Amino acid sequence: MSHAALEPITLRGTTFRNRIWVPPMCQYIVEKEDGVPTPWHLMHIGSFARGGAGAVIVEATGVVPEGRISPRDLGLWNDEQRDAFAPIVRFAQSLGAKVGIQLAHAGRKASTHPEWGTDGSGSLTPDEGGWQTVAPSAIAFEGLDAPVALDTDGIADIVRAFTTSARRAVDAGFDFLEIHGAHGYLIHSFLSPLSNHREDSYGGDLERRARILLEIVDAVRAEVGEEIPLLVRLSATDWTDGGLTVAETAQVATWLGERGVDLVDVSTGGNVLAEIPVGPGYQVPAATAVREASGVPVAAVGMIDEPKQAEQIVATGLADVVLVGREYLRDPNFALNAAASLRVDVNYAPKPYHRAFR
Ligand code: FNR
C-alpha cells in the first residue's frame, strides 16, 4: 500500500515528518480573557504532537484584542502572550511536530459569545465585555451586530498588527505562520463581494478586494525574513450566487504564490449563511482546483476522518497535505494509528509509549 500521507514534506527549509496535520481549532478557554495560553493549550497542542501529527496549527489568535472572536480567544499582541507560548511550542517541538500559529482578525464576526452557535447568543453587549466590530463595509453578518467600516488608517493599523504579531510568533519559536483569510473573518470579508462594498482601493474588483491580504503577506514576509514558511487559509467559495468563487480564489492563490506564500490551506464558507453540501472530503475538490490553477501547494480539510481517505488524497495528488480536525480531537493519536493501519513503520511514537506502538 502507498504511504504518501506519511512521507515528509519540506516548505522552505522546514521539513515536516508527515502530511497529516492538525488545523487551527479555537478552544475558547482563556478564562482570564487576557489572550494568554493556559495549561489546557499545553495539553491540547502537546497531545497531537505526541500522537504523531506532522504539524499542529494553533487556533485563531487575535492580532489585536478587538480581533478576537470572543474574549476567551488566544492573543499575540503583547510580550506576556509571546512568553507564555514559547514553552508550549518548545514542548510540542520536542515531540517531533512542527508548530504553527494562525494569526487572525475576526472583523465583523468578533465580539461574540464564546459558545455562539451552540448555546450562546450572538454578539456580546458592552456590559458583557463586547466591543464595536470593524469590517470593510458596515454590513452585519446575519445574527450579529453591525460593524463600522474601516478607514484607510484603520486598515494600516491592522496590517501593522499582523506584522508585530508575526514577529512575536517567530520570537516565541513557532516554525511557521498561517494568516487566517477564511470563514468570514476580516480578510475573507474583504475578499468577498457580498461583504465588501467599498469604493476605494480596497474594494471593487478582485485585485482591490485582495489588497489588504496581499499587504499583510508582504509586510509579514518582510518582518519575518525568508526562512519561515508562510501559509494562508482561504475560503474558496461562499457557496452563494454572487459570492467569492473557486476561480477567484485560485487567482488569489496565484498572487500569494508570487509573493512567496508556501501553502494555501483551502477551506470554504463562513462569510454568509449558506447551504453547504457537507460530506466526507467535501472541500477537497476546491483544494485541488486551487492547486491546479495556481501551482501553489495546498492543504485539504473537512471531514477527512479515515487514514485511507487521507492517503488517497495525498497519493493521487489531490492535495499536498491533509488537515484532520474533529477526528484528531476524538483521537489525538490519529497519525500514529494511521501509520499502523497503513502498515508504515514510523519511529516517532514517544519513548514511554513504544510498547503500545510496536
Ligand atoms: C474549528 N475550525 C477553525 N478554523 C480556523 O480556521 N480557525 C479556528 O480557530 C477554528 N476553530 C475551530 C474550532 C473547532 C472546535 C472546530 C471543530 C473547528 C475549523 C477547522 O479548522 C476545520 O477546518 C474544520 O473543523 C473541518 O475539518 P474537520 O473537523 O471536518 O476535520
Side-chain angles (χ1 to χ4, degrees), residues 2-6 19-21 284 300 303-324 334 338 342:
S2 70
H3 45 82
L6 288 148
R19 295 150 183 258
I20 305 175
W21 299 4
V284 175
M303 292 190 72
I304 301 168
D305 296 342
E306 305 277 344
K308 282 185 181 155
Q309 184 194 9
E311 175 56 24
Q312 188 251 345
I313 291 165
V314 180
T316 61
L318 300 179
D320 301 273
V321 164
V322 289
L323 297 165
V324 174
F334 181 82
L342 296 169

Side-chain angles (χ1 to χ4, degrees), residues 163-222:
T163 314
T164 51
S165 288
R167 163 51 51 202
R168 287 198 174 91
V170 172
D171 291 347
F174 282 101
D175 295 291
F176 67 102
L177 308 176
E178 176 169 286
I179 307 289
H180 197 347
H183 302 167
Y185 298 116
L186 187 73
I187 293 171
H188 182 188
S189 70
F190 269 88
L191 287 168
S192 171
L194 300 175
S195 42
N196 183 347
H197 293 183
R198 295 178 77 93
E199 290 176 356
D200 66 358
S201 57
Y202 290 92
D205 65 14
L206 182 64
E207 198 168 358
R208 286 165 175 247
R209 285 183 273 124
R211 183 171 164 195
I212 187 171
L213 171 60
L214 301 180
E215 286 185 358
I216 289 169
V217 163
D218 284 345
V220 166
R221 175 59 76 202

Side-chain angles (χ1 to χ4, degrees), residues 22 25 27 29-30 35-51 56 58-59 74 81 83-95 97 99 172 174 332:
V22 183
M25 285 184 281
Q27 302 297 291
I29 196 137
V30 183
V36 177
T38 67
W40 175 270
H41 296 97
L42 174 68
M43 181 284 297
H44 173 71
I45 295 158
S47 67
F48 307 126
R50 180 205 64 192
V56 186
V58 170
E59 68 191 74
L74 289 174
Q81 295 157 346
D83 295 346
F85 273 117
I88 296 174
V89 173
R90 272 198 303 276
F91 178 66
Q93 288 167 335
S94 76
L95 297 168
V99 191
F174 282 101

Side-chain angles (χ1 to χ4, degrees), residues 47-118:
S47 67
F48 307 126
R50 180 205 64 192
V56 186
I57 307 178
V58 170
E59 68 191 74
T61 297
V63 297
V64 286
E66 315 78 57
R68 291 172 297 170
I69 303 165
S70 87
R72 289 202 220 142
D73 294 20
L74 289 174
L76 197 41
W77 63 82
N78 67 36
D79 292 350
E80 184 192 359
Q81 295 157 346
R82 176 199 63 197
D83 295 346
F85 273 117
I88 296 174
V89 173
R90 272 198 303 276
F91 178 66
Q93 288 167 335
S94 76
L95 297 168
K98 300 298 179 201
V99 191
I101 185 165
Q102 188 183 49
L103 300 176
H105 191 302
R108 64 183 188 151
K109 291 175 76 179
S111 186
T112 62
H113 197 278
E115 277 91 37
W116 186 55
T118 51

